[in-house]
Amino acid sequence: MPVLVMKFGGTSVANLDRIKRAAKRVGVEVAKGYDVIVIVSAMSGKTNELVGWVNETSPLYDAREYDAIVSSGENVTAGLMALTLQEMEIPARSWQGWQVPVKTTSAHSAARIEEIPDENIREKFANGDRVAVVAGFQGVSPEGRITTLGRGGSDTTAVAFAAAFDAERCDIYTDVDGVYTTDPRITDKARKLDKIAFEEMLELASLGAKVLQTRSVELAMRYKVKLRVLSSFEEQSDTAGTLVCAEEEIMESNVVSGIAYSRDEAKMTLVSVADRPGIAAAIFGPLSDAGVNVDMIIQNIAEDGRTDMTFSCPTDQVKRAEKAMEDAKTAGEINYHDLIADTDVAKISAVGIGMRSQSGVAAKMFKTLSDEGVNIKVIATSEIKISVLVDRKYMELAVQALHDAFELDKA
């Protein structure tokens, strides 16, 4: 029988009533003739509670025990979902990561999936089971220890199973009914997209859209897994939600598909750095080693052998970046006059595969912001994205203005 993967996030399984509602959706797909692999998250709020207990017990915790504890939330949901399906007379069984097994690296709390053998679950399907309820977010290391994939890892689990089982589709059920042209909380003109290309979704996810975890989109794009994002709280139909698919499956797309934003950005400038070969490596090497996620990078024109280097990073990594630069300066690897951190900025991005074949997008974006009196601090571009840093107080205005300028409310 064809395989369908269905993933339910924390809000979709937050209590027993919602688990029953999710189970009914699974039953609909079973009735259509699918063998279904259900990936579940922990019940809403449970993972945060478990993480809190770990931190309270041992601030400098052993990562192996951290994984053993925080992965337990998904185990509970998987068991409850399997019991609910059994009560509906649907043959179902719960699976923990080690039972499948979901083979991962040994990087506890940030493991990556290496292999998912399909023999065990396929054997159960062949013997009459119709649903395998798998605990998301977890796997097993080569040493036989439980591992977790990082926050949001259940999305990645779902896509990985869809790839391993050559599933017809991977449905991600969440608390929103699809992918929108921008955040509906910022503008009521935001429109739900019927389809979006993998590359566009990857950019939107990495730029702040919280609908899908970035790693899950990367995996879907690599293995050509059709993803559908839809709400577990609305009526189900074959055309519900947003389909994330290959660019070739979209007949005609707008030049810009969406406006993304990230509120918690910081702009950091190293003032008066020596302009010499290797200076960029001397700066960004220590930042990488310190785990600072650098995004936009701008180097000013050199004057008298000195230059300014500006980059952006998340605000919660500013202290780490400052220490990395101070340590590099103390070690004599770099020399600079000052390090200025502006933590009151936001990143606004226009994303669209149509940018490849149509010019004028950047000019239109910059004029729109200028007309609204919004000053651009930093600009970065790629083939299908233009990002700018602006003062955070202008963030919502900038998003609304750009959404209107590119007429994203129109199909």
Side-chain angles (χ1 to χ4, degrees), residues 222-242:
R222 186 186 314 159
Y223 292 102
K224 298 291 188 289
V225 173
K226 284 187 179 179
L227 276 176
R228 191 169 62 153
V229 181
L230 62 172
S231 172
S232 57
F233 306 112
E234 297 196 354
E235 287 301 314
Q236 191 169 348
S237 73
D238 290 337
T239 58
T242 299

Side-chain angles (χ1 to χ4, degrees), residues 13 133 142 154 194 225 304 351 368 376 385 390 393:
V13 291
V133 185
S154 292
D194 294 327
V225 173
D304 297 327
V351 175
T368 299
I376 298 172
K385 172 196 74 177
V390 302
K393 64 182 178 182

Side-chain angles (χ1 to χ4, degrees), residues 263 265-267 342-346 377 389-392:
R263 188 186 308 271
E265 292 289 317
K267 178 172 78 79
D342 182 357
T343 58
D344 198 26
V345 296
K377 295 174 176 284
L389 285 185
V390 302
D391 285 328
R392 190 172 298 150

